[in-house]
Amino acid sequence: MQEKKTALLLIAHGSRRTQSNEEVKQLADKIAAQDSFNYSLVEAAFLEIAEPSIPDGLKLCMEKGAKNIVIFPYFLSAGRHVTEDIPAEVAKFTKDFPQIEVSIGNYLGCLEDMPQIILKMLNSAD
Amino acid sequence: MQEKKTALLLIAHGSRRTQSNEEVKQLADKIAAQDSFNYSLVEAAFLEIAEPSIPDGLKLCMEKGAKNIVIFPYFLSAGRHVTEDIPAEVAKFTKDFPQIEVSIGNYLGCLEDMPQIILKMLNSAD
């Protein structure tokens, strides 16, 4: 169980297509609407191209009262973005705001059930 | 239920990191190992950077005996890659090999259960 003042920050790559970015924001809202949602809030931020940026997303969580922030990298593979860029942004933030604890969760591609999930998606579309 | 000669072709973006591409190939193998796997084979192909390319992946499925190929775009958002690049590669292939039926399934980001899946991932990491 998360503490009451823990925010969830969903980080996506960011796209030139406004609709793709909107889908990520809608996903954040859908996460917040789940029964098993036990964070104080959820926000979305983008590594590139779209707004809010990662620093702005982290600040937004802080301004909304979060004392801890859990980052969920909405990425399928552990490319440079996941292994270097996101940790670098977090390091900058925690240097400026050491009172806020930020942790980075596993990226989506780590999901162990992925094979089953993909087959279920395909089978339900038959 | 798929027909016996239907191949599944998993298409990912492709990364400069060999490990990321290997993960996609391993995912294809894991899909093939599932009880609910009802295709004749599964292959992985990459839009950019990595091999096999999409045309090579499609040809490989054909050479292995597939009469139908179902493409699963392993992408989180419907950016240009999903909406334009993959269909363009498929159109080129079906022009050259009209005897093979190729269909493109929903991309991973369409998954309706995504909010639950993300929360489950986060909660299990607590």
Side-chain angles (χ1 to χ4, degrees):
Chain A
M1 177 67 76
Q2 300 297 322
E3 284 174 38
K4 203 70 193 148
K5 289 296 182 187
T6 300
L8 174 61
L9 183 61
L10 198 67
I11 295 182
H13 185 279
S15 168
R16 280 175 199 83
R17 283 181 77 250
T18 312
Q19 201 193 324
S20 293
N21 303 322
E22 280 306 314
E23 279 174 23
V24 177
K25 292 178 187 176
Q26 286 166 13
L27 176 61
D29 291 341
K30 284 179 194 166
I31 290 172
Q34 297 299 308
D35 285 342
S36 56
F37 183 72
N38 54 14
Y39 296 83
S40 55
L41 64 122
V42 60
E43 296 289 343
F46 301 91
L47 184 72
E48 294 178 353
I49 307 163
E51 292 291 330
S53 65
I54 299 177
D56 286 347
L58 287 164
K59 276 181 211 153
L60 186 62
C61 292
M62 182 178 69
E63 285 160 9
K64 287 188 173 182
K67 304 294 178 206
N68 303 286
I69 302 171
V70 173
I71 286 177
F72 181 77
Y74 189 58
F75 285 79
L76 287 176
S77 69
R80 187 172 42 80
H81 294 322
V82 168
T83 59
E84 296 174 30
D85 299 342
I86 294 175
E89 293 287 0
V90 169
K92 272 189 261 176
F93 178 82
T94 50
K95 200 177 163 198
D96 291 343
F97 305 100
Q99 74 277 23
I100 308 294
E101 200 171 303
V102 185
S103 61
I104 305 177
N106 274 337
Y107 61 98
L108 181 66
C110 292
L111 189 64
E112 282 191 18
D113 296 343
M114 195 64 91
Q116 293 94 315
I117 286 168
I118 290 174
L119 276 177
K120 197 177 150 196
M121 257 187 101
L122 287 162
N123 291 343
S124 70
D126 281 351
Chain B
M1 181 65 78
Q2 301 296 326
E3 285 174 36
K4 204 67 196 152
K5 289 295 180 188
T6 299
L8 175 60
L9 183 62
L10 198 65
I11 295 181
H13 185 280
S15 169
R16 279 175 200 82
R17 284 180 77 250
T18 312
Q19 200 192 327
S20 293
N21 304 323
E22 280 307 313
E23 280 175 21
V24 176
K25 291 178 187 174
Q26 285 166 12
L27 177 60
D29 292 341
K30 285 179 193 167
I31 290 172
Q34 297 300 307
D35 286 341
S36 56
F37 183 72
N38 53 15
Y39 296 82
S40 54
L41 63 123
V42 61
E43 296 290 342
F46 300 91
L47 185 70
E48 294 177 354
I49 306 163
E51 291 292 329
S53 64
I54 298 177
D56 287 347
L58 287 164
K59 275 180 213 153
L60 186 62
C61 292
M62 183 177 69
E63 285 160 10
K64 288 189 174 183
K67 304 293 178 207
N68 303 285
I69 302 171
V70 173
I71 286 177
F72 181 77
Y74 190 57
F75 284 80
L76 287 176
S77 70
R80 186 173 42 80
H81 295 320
V82 168
T83 59
E84 294 173 30
D85 298 342
I86 294 175
E89 293 287 359
V90 170
K92 271 188 262 176
F93 178 83
T94 50
K95 200 176 163 198
D96 290 342
F97 305 100
Q99 72 278 24
I100 308 295
E101 199 171 303
V102 185
S103 62
I104 306 177
N106 275 335
Y107 61 100
L108 181 65
C110 291
L111 189 63
E112 281 189 21
D113 296 343
M114 195 63 91
Q116 292 95 313
I117 286 167
I118 290 174
L119 276 177
K120 196 177 151 198
M121 258 187 99
L122 287 162
N123 291 343
S124 70
D126 281 352

